[in-house]
Amino acid sequence: MPAVVPLVGAFTWLTGAGGEGARRHRGASSGGLRPVLWLSVSFSLIALLGVTAIALLPDLADHRDVPAALGNATTAAVSLAGVPGGLAADQLMHRGITPRRLAVAALAMPCAAVVIYQVSPWAAIAAGAAVLMAANGLVLAALYASMPTLARSPYALRRGYGLLNQAGCLGSLFGPPVFGFAVTHTGWATATALVTLISLVGLALFWTATRTAAAPG
């Protein structure tokens, strides 16, 4: 509960919900903040999935009777898979592929989660985790690059990037304990269901953000 106060304060400042800046810019930017907010929530959900996948790997290794040294080494190696995903997004956008199309890669994460949490061979689990992290890095890069096209004013852009980064931090903070609680009480199959649900919701919110920003008015 003590974290709620600074979070509310950060939300108020980042979105311009109060203060002189909000009164001065409300008319020009309130519409532009709506897609920014949708994008930020989407970014938070997608970021949550990558961090959580890495956080759960050591416990999954123990559950699969994999030696701790191998489980930890796998976790360290898989965590790097997001880097080529982000670099791939950069190259693909440079070639003209829009972030909206790149975001479809979010659908690879539920498929990877089936492998990670439903199979036994550790090599397959490691490969599935690498795919999930690569897709995660690609989608996050696409979402981050979308901000300038969604913000309708410099005010919305400034607030938007601040909100986007804070949202990513919140997702990374709350994801592992939520997944850990669910897995502890209902089993690893729940992790697959959660990855599927969160991926679809994150993708839908991003598409909503782009559609809202493209709408006239």
Side-chain angles (χ1 to χ4, degrees):
M1 290 303 295
V4 172
V5 174
L7 287 178
V8 171
F11 178 83
T12 301
W13 182 83
L14 288 168
T15 60
E20 181 63 27
R23 288 191 293 272
R24 185 170 58 253
H25 296 283
R26 183 178 289 115
S29 66
S30 59
L33 280 174
R34 188 174 300 110
V36 166
L37 290 173
W38 290 130
L39 174 63
S40 298
V41 177
S42 174
F43 190 87
S44 177
L45 294 175
I46 300 300
L48 176 158
L49 293 176
V51 172
T52 302
I54 294 301
L56 291 182
L57 268 183
D59 287 336
L60 184 59
D62 182 65
H63 184 264
R64 296 290 194 269
D65 295 322
V66 173
L70 177 58
N72 292 335
T74 302
T75 301
V78 166
S79 66
L80 298 176
V83 175
L87 293 176
D90 174 72
Q91 292 300 311
L92 291 170
M93 285 187 285
H94 182 71
R95 297 182 182 211
I97 300 179
T98 64
R100 184 182 175 90
R101 291 174 61 188
L102 286 179
V104 177
L107 299 178
M109 290 189 283
C111 299
V114 172
V115 177
I116 298 168
Y117 302 117
Q118 304 303 310
V119 305
S120 296
W122 187 249
I125 291 173
V131 169
L132 188 149
M133 288 302 299
N136 189 261
L138 188 152
V139 175
L140 286 177
L143 267 57
Y144 202 86
S146 299
M147 181 61 73
T149 63
L150 299 185
R152 294 180 177 176
S153 69
Y155 173 78
L157 180 63
R158 185 175 70 249
R159 300 290 186 182
Y161 268 125
L163 183 60
L164 194 73
N165 284 287
Q166 290 298 319
C169 291
L170 286 176
S172 300
L173 175 65
F174 289 111
V178 169
F179 269 70
F181 179 86
V183 167
T184 299
H185 288 81
T186 60
W188 287 99
T190 304
T192 303
L194 286 174
V195 171
T196 302
L197 176 63
I198 293 171
S199 298
L200 293 176
V201 172
L203 181 60
L205 287 174
F206 175 59
W207 282 346
T208 298
T210 58
R211 186 169 59 250
T212 303

